[in-house]
Amino acid sequence: MPPTPSPHPSPGIELVRDFSLEMTGKDNAALAEATGAVPPGTRINVTFLGNENLSMRLAAAVAVRAAGFEPIPHISARRLASVAELDEFLQALTGDARVHEVFAVGGDPASPLGPFPDALSLITSGRLQAHGISAVAIGGYPEGHPDIDEATLWEAMEAKSKALQEAGLDGSIITQFGFDTAPVLSWLQELRRRGIWYPVRIGVPGPAGIKRLLTYARRFGVSSSAGIAHKYGFSLANLLGTAGPDRFITDLAAALDPAVHGEVGLHFYTFGGLQATAHWVAEFEAGP
């Protein structure tokens, strides 16, 4: 039975509507379990990880489409060995999974495996449009990147934005997850000051076990449980429980100004917990 809506809704309720989710090529079973809890048509990103292959990524995108959701496959530029590999993947995605939009990222390898060193090279290759892709999401880093300085990040953002316009592709931005609203708001303001007005989905960690959350967070500069607790808003007495991003979302929604920050939504990094995240969103919308 769905939660009963609160008569005094949180300022974050509007922000969580039309949320998007993320899954890996290994999460098909989790997707099946979550299908009844996730609103039809929800955008679900499918990752492009090094321990997955084309068939796994394709099967996940097909499963997303078959379940009534919108698959947004990631394409990791540096993991592609050739143009032929990109073409094979795109042909399969646009055929079997009826994909219209992808998320172009550089990827983790220190050296490219093939001809694509970054997301910009994917956008300018012409291969996306050749296979019927009409929209491309690109990455944003409000709290910085561990391996790329801020000036370079902004140069890349401006170059990708310009390339999307020149290619006639619709654009959007999905950010890495964070724990603090202040850098998110500052980053959004700077993005708009630079004339980039694409819709932005702010990355948010879904309700995840604290140990798992801490493991992921260390990759992005927040290395202590005390630091996580301070920014994320949960009690250190409950470190073995589950944290939800209530405070982050409520604070962010209260501070957003469309005239300054533009169109903003949320993208949940689920850490495999698709069903838990969907249930959490429903409960959040219902209010306390």
Side-chain angles (χ1 to χ4, degrees):
M1 190 173 175
T4 303
S6 167
H8 304 291
S10 156
I13 288 177
E14 285 298 324
L15 189 58
V16 300
R17 288 178 181 152
D18 190 33
F19 63 93
S20 56
L21 300 170
E22 186 149 317
M23 64 176 283
T24 74
K26 298 179 179 179
D27 287 339
N28 286 6
L31 175 69
E33 292 174 354
T35 296
V38 179
T42 295
R43 296 160 57 93
I44 299 183
N45 284 36
V46 179
T47 58
F48 196 109
L49 303 178
N51 60 357
E52 301 165 353
N53 56 36
L54 185 148
S55 62
M56 290 172 62
R57 298 167 190 140
L58 176 60
V62 169
V64 170
R65 176 66 72 193
F69 310 123
E70 186 67 29
I72 313 293
H74 293 200
I75 301 181
S76 178
R78 289 170 171 254
R79 294 193 187 281
L80 293 167
S82 64
V83 174
E85 183 179 349
L86 173 61
D87 283 337
E88 180 184 9
F89 189 41
L90 289 171
Q91 184 173 356
L93 288 173
T94 53
D96 296 344
R98 306 195 306 281
V99 165
H100 308 290
E101 179 176 354
V102 297
F103 180 38
V105 295
D108 294 332
S111 299
L113 302 182
F116 301 107
D118 49 30
L120 180 62
S121 61
L122 288 175
I123 295 168
T124 58
S125 69
R127 303 317 302 154
L128 303 179
Q129 307 95 302
H131 288 276
I133 298 297
S134 59
V136 177
I138 55 178
Y141 298 88
E143 296 192 46
H145 189 288
D147 301 318
I148 307 173
D149 65 84
E150 185 176 3
T152 301
L153 286 173
W154 281 119
E155 288 172 8
M157 177 64 73
E158 291 179 326
K160 287 182 286 188
S161 176
K162 181 180 179 182
L164 288 172
Q165 294 173 22
E166 292 177 346
L169 293 164
D170 292 333
S172 63
I173 299 169
I174 301 173
T175 77
Q176 186 50 263
F177 73 79
F179 301 90
D180 195 346
T181 57
V184 170
L185 293 163
S186 297
W187 181 86
L188 284 168
Q189 190 167 357
E190 177 64 15
L191 183 75
R192 305 318 185 189
R193 188 192 70 77
R194 291 172 180 261
I196 302 171
W197 287 89
Y198 288 130
V200 175
R201 290 180 178 270
I202 300 298
V204 181
I210 302 305
K211 287 185 176 179
R212 181 179 293 183
L213 189 62
L214 290 172
T215 299
Y216 281 87
R218 288 190 187 99
R219 295 168 53 192
F220 304 103
V222 183
S223 59
S224 72
S225 58
I228 293 281
H230 174 71
K231 289 188 173 186
Y232 204 43
F234 59 80
S235 169
L236 286 175
N238 297 317
L239 276 180
L240 298 180
T242 298
D246 312 53
R247 184 170 119 185
F248 176 90
I249 292 174
T250 301
D251 290 352
L252 179 63
L256 284 173
D257 179 352
V260 175
H261 304 113
E263 183 181 340
V264 177
L266 297 179
H267 177 73
F268 287 93
Y269 292 87
T270 65
F271 309 113
L274 288 161
Q275 187 176 46
T277 300
H279 282 309
W280 181 91
V281 170
E283 291 170 2
F284 182 83
E285 288 183 314

